[in-house]
Amino acid sequence: MIKAVFFDVDGTLLSEKDRSLSQHTEESIRALIRKGIHIILVTGRPHHLCEEFKHLGIETIISANGALITCRDERIHRSILSPSMVREFSDFAVTQGHAVSYFTELFSMNGACRTDSRVTEALRQTLGIMEYPQQMMTLDEDTYCMCLYANEAETKYYREKFPSLRFVRFHPYVCNVLEANEVNKAAAAQTFLTYLNVRREETMAFGDGENDIDLLQYAGVGVAMGNGGERVKQIADYVTLKASEDGITHALRHFKLI
């Protein structure tokens, strides 16, 4: 019996084409909640960009790629980047001329590359942000996650400079910058399941990106969206239709959850 379902957001709950939430997907989420199944968002988004889903009845959000877990506005878990590392990394990014975003209680950036189309397009594609966000004026706030806006060749210099950090790419021009090995979607899912007293075998997870692979492998049933990457599809237990084709509803019906 499935007692909890984890959903990635962009390209999973939301259409990969226009970032819309279809009526069928919305109805499917509400149907799961009515059956008493726990619904958990698991996303690389900062927490405040997940507020739009609360109207569905979703009370649990794992944000910043697993660094922050909240349930009914209670903080279940959080992992903070060390301030000294944030400063050193930010200073190096300035010398390299790359944009960096900061996931604090809000979302801000370092002010670099304001007119770089690679950055503005990545912001639109990954977070639906149409304008360059506010600039982080100080680095004094608790930071859950950073994102580096750079391609793989450019990121090589950061890997060499900061060998203790993990760079998790989820877009051709964006990767999460993580400090602790335990910060990922699967580790966060395990933490919350312990809180719920639910076994992993009693869970299902949906995702489309490479930062969803560990989550899909961890869950009892891992479902890859039809618009997902090939690596995601290869490790999944089931490949459903695209998000824009109501892939979530299709899979939930296939497994007779709705």
Side-chain angles (χ1 to χ4, degrees), residues 98-152:
H98 287 125
V100 175
S101 62
Y102 307 92
F103 293 21
T104 59
E105 291 301 318
L106 298 174
F107 179 79
S108 58
M109 297 187 70
N110 66 348
C113 307
R114 287 181 175 273
T115 59
D116 189 327
S117 61
R118 296 175 300 177
V119 174
T120 55
E121 185 64 10
L123 285 167
R124 184 190 68 79
Q125 291 176 351
T126 60
L127 295 173
I129 295 176
M130 308 307 291
E131 297 182 359
Y132 194 99
Q134 66 178 355
Q135 182 176 346
M136 173 76 87
M137 302 310 296
T138 70
L139 296 175
D140 296 331
E141 296 182 56
D142 288 342
T143 303
Y144 299 106
C145 176
M146 293 188 294
C147 285
L148 172 66
Y149 291 74
N151 62 33
E152 194 56 38

Side-chain angles (χ1 to χ4, degrees), residues 1-7 31-33 35-40 193 196 198-206 218-223 237 251-252 254-258:
M1 179 181 292
I2 298 297
K3 296 182 179 180
V5 182
F6 298 91
F7 291 102
L32 292 176
I33 293 174
K35 292 181 68 173
I37 295 174
H38 294 279
I39 305 301
I40 305 102
L193 291 183
L196 277 184
V198 170
R199 296 181 297 116
R200 61 186 291 189
E201 293 81 8
E202 300 172 318
T203 68
M204 179 180 289
F206 288 78
Y218 174 78
V221 180
V223 180
D237 298 301
L252 292 175
H254 172 81
F255 288 102
K256 296 181 171 54
L257 287 182
I258 59 173

